[in-house]
Amino acid sequence: MSFVNDIDSDNKCHRDILHIISVNISILGIISIFLINIGFRNYLLFHIIIEIFISLISFDIFIVALNTYKNSKNNFLMTLGAAYTFVGLLYIIHTLFYKGMGIFDSSLPLMDIATQLCLSAKYIEAISLLIACVLFHKSHKILVPKVILEIYAIIVSIILITIRFGVFPKCLIDGVGFTSFKIISEYVICLVLIFSIFFLFKAKRCMNSLVFTYMNLSILVAIISEIMFTLYNNHYVVANMIGHIFKAISFYFIHNAIIEIGLKNPYKLLFDQLEEASYNLEKKNFELNKIIKQLEAENKHRQYIERVIMNNEQCYNLLIES
């Protein structure tokens, strides 16, 4: 009876998740159509809306992670929070350098710099997702938020310095299009994201179903976005706009996952991890008891051998005396 109730509960949970995701996708679809319409009329406005949305979500992820880490001690959450802070910062700088903004000297290769900044943000995001998924089970190792932020600050500073002094590989050449480095990087990022999904599935058993769904959707949509960014050489085409929209949707889904972990259900993940730790402890205790029984059996066998040897020795002594 309990087994049947568990199945019914799981089915209801899956139906609820499907309903939530369906509603989200419907709303996002309507907004996407509206944004593409804006993109055809005024691409620069479209680009600014997308990048500001991504940056705001990135900073919100950091705020949630920082303010909940003290209680949750969730390394997965803290790693993503620190990463997305600097991802959002790079996207803001990327937007400011974008051609047509009129902020920086037009004699600079603005589109190349903007592309370099965007690619750097994608690398940081993808690698951080992979690290966060790997660290998911390392809840016993408490990370220091200040140290994590300092590490990301150093990495981003190095990136900005290399871009400033022309050391960073070129990503876009005027009149030619994207360089091989940029296109290959997009596929490398896709590969890193695929590895993230692999580690995410390893953590599925101790992760909230809705969080797991949001994270998977975020990564899958991000992969589609990266693929779209390899299909064009001109920024002002439909593939580019779809790529930007998918990128924004990816950020939206991961933001929802962070909200579920950090605000709506901050202790559920801890309880799941404790339950998994308890299960592993019981498993180890079972194995330990099995070893103890084997040792006891071996000890009894050794005592039997000792008694046999002692009896043989006594018989030998009697034989000698006789």
Side-chain angles (χ1 to χ4, degrees), residues 80 84 125-133 193 196 215 219 254:
L80 290 182
Y84 276 94
E125 181 194 2
I127 294 170
S128 298
L129 275 168
L130 178 60
I131 293 171
C133 291
L193 291 172
S196 300
M215 289 298 301
I219 296 173
I254 202 164

Side-chain angles (χ1 to χ4, degrees), residues 128-316:
S128 298
L129 275 168
L130 178 60
I131 293 171
C133 291
V134 171
L135 285 175
F136 191 86
H137 294 292
K138 310 295 182 182
S139 56
H140 59 282
K141 294 182 179 180
I142 300 175
L143 303 178
V144 181
K146 184 180 177 182
V147 174
I148 301 174
L149 289 170
E150 286 174 354
I151 292 171
Y152 275 105
I154 292 169
I155 293 170
V156 171
S157 298
I158 292 171
I159 289 171
L160 293 175
I161 290 170
T162 57
I163 292 175
R164 169 65 181 83
F165 292 100
V167 179
F168 197 96
K170 285 188 174 294
C171 294
L172 179 66
I173 300 174
D174 288 337
V176 177
F178 292 126
T179 63
S180 299
F181 170 76
K182 195 267 183 186
I183 295 172
I184 292 171
S185 291
E186 299 287 2
Y187 289 116
V188 170
I189 291 168
C190 288
L191 187 62
V192 174
L193 291 172
I194 289 169
F195 276 112
S196 300
I197 292 177
F198 170 76
F199 284 103
L200 194 65
F201 268 92
K202 289 185 69 174
K204 181 180 179 180
R205 196 170 63 82
C206 57
M207 182 180 283
N208 178 280
S209 297
L210 185 56
V211 172
F212 176 77
T213 304
Y214 276 138
M215 289 298 301
N216 267 295
L217 283 173
S218 175
I219 296 173
L220 288 172
V221 172
I223 292 171
I224 296 172
S225 172
E226 297 307 313
I227 293 172
M228 296 302 295
F229 283 130
T230 65
L231 299 179
Y232 65 93
N233 276 326
N234 187 336
H235 282 78
Y236 307 96
V237 295
V238 177
N240 176 35
M241 287 189 282
I242 293 174
H244 275 86
I245 287 173
F246 273 101
K247 173 59 69 175
I249 292 172
S250 171
F251 274 68
Y252 171 80
F253 280 135
I254 202 164
H255 176 266
N256 285 0
I258 298 300
I259 293 297
E260 285 289 331
I261 296 172
L263 294 180
K264 291 186 178 181
N265 212 351
Y267 300 108
K268 178 66 169 62
L269 186 59
L270 280 178
F271 290 146
D272 289 340
Q273 290 174 339
L274 286 173
E275 185 178 344
E276 185 188 18
S278 177
Y279 170 78
N280 290 333
L281 184 60
E282 288 179 4
K283 186 178 178 182
K284 291 183 185 297
N285 284 336
F286 175 77
E287 292 173 355
L288 184 60
N289 288 331
K290 188 177 179 181
I291 293 171
I292 289 172
K293 288 179 180 179
Q294 289 176 350
L295 290 173
E296 288 176 350
E298 290 175 2
N299 187 46
K300 288 179 180 179
H301 183 67
R302 181 181 58 81
Q303 290 174 353
Y304 170 75
I305 296 297
E306 287 176 352
R307 287 196 300 269
V308 170
I309 293 172
M310 189 177 295
N311 291 334
N312 289 340
E313 187 177 356
Q314 289 173 353
C315 291
Y316 177 76

Side-chain angles (χ1 to χ4, degrees), residues 35-68:
L35 287 172
I36 289 175
N37 186 48
I38 291 176
F40 280 120
R41 296 172 181 272
N42 188 337
Y43 178 82
L44 186 60
L45 177 61
F46 163 84
H47 184 264
I48 292 171
I49 291 171
I50 294 291
E51 301 301 336
I52 288 176
F53 174 78
I54 288 173
S55 299
L56 289 175
I57 280 187
S58 299
F59 295 139
D60 192 46
I61 288 172
F62 168 68
I63 291 169
V64 173
L66 186 64
N67 286 282
T68 59

Side-chain angles (χ1 to χ4, degrees), residues 2-31:
S2 175
F3 177 71
V4 174
N5 290 334
D6 289 340
I7 293 176
D8 290 340
S9 177
D10 289 341
N11 289 336
K12 184 179 183 303
C13 180
H14 291 151
R15 285 196 299 271
D16 291 341
I17 291 173
L18 183 62
H19 174 71
I20 292 169
I21 298 301
S22 300
V23 171
N24 277 280
I25 290 175
S26 299
I27 294 171
L28 290 171
I30 295 170
I31 295 173

